[in-house]
Amino acid sequence: MPINFYGKVVDQNGQPVSGASVEFGWTDISKDGSSQSKTSSDGEGKFNLENQKGRVLMVTVSKPGYYTAKQQNQVGFDYAGFWEKTYYQPNSKTRSFPLAQNKVS
């Protein structure tokens, strides 16, 4: 299945977070059975992974000085066949990943 994924990192106020670390991992038919890629969010908090082939995609977002609940910054997407229950409809809609700044005491 083709994987084209678009995300945006935002803070607790909905403002873009630039320079966040984004890690992708997906299952595929390579020798190892999976592939990985890393990138950073841009000045508008945006990031993407395009033109990959696989089934299950995991996306993890983090940045020093920020925190989030694990279930919000590590998300899986199943690019199963459209006839399967777990099918994730790929589209160009951006998925938000919220981070909150650590409070300084």
Side-chain angles (χ1 to χ4, degrees), residues 14-27:
Q15 296 301 308
V17 176
S18 64
S21 174
V22 181
E23 297 180 18
F24 299 103
W26 62 97
T27 58

Side-chain angles (χ1 to χ4, degrees), residues 13-94:
N13 300 312
Q15 296 301 308
V17 176
S18 64
S21 174
V22 181
E23 297 180 18
F24 299 103
W26 62 97
T27 58
D28 58 21
I29 58 171
S30 67
K31 180 180 173 186
D32 295 331
S34 64
S35 296
Q36 297 82 34
S37 181
K38 293 181 181 181
T39 191
S40 297
S41 57
D42 67 15
E44 295 179 346
K46 295 180 180 179
F47 63 90
N48 64 58
L49 178 72
E50 295 181 308
N51 302 317
Q52 300 300 324
K53 293 195 184 308
R55 175 163 176 156
V56 176
L57 172 67
M58 292 298 294
V59 181
T60 305
V61 176
S62 62
K63 183 172 181 175
Y66 289 80
Y67 70 93
T68 187
K70 187 172 179 85
Q71 64 268 25
Q72 288 184 325
N73 77 333
Q74 183 177 27
V75 181
F77 301 91
D78 192 345
Y79 287 80
F82 67 87
W83 59 89
E84 297 179 82
K85 275 193 321 190
T86 56
Y87 178 67
Y88 170 71
Q89 176 66 47
N91 60 41
S92 60
K93 184 177 179 185
T94 301

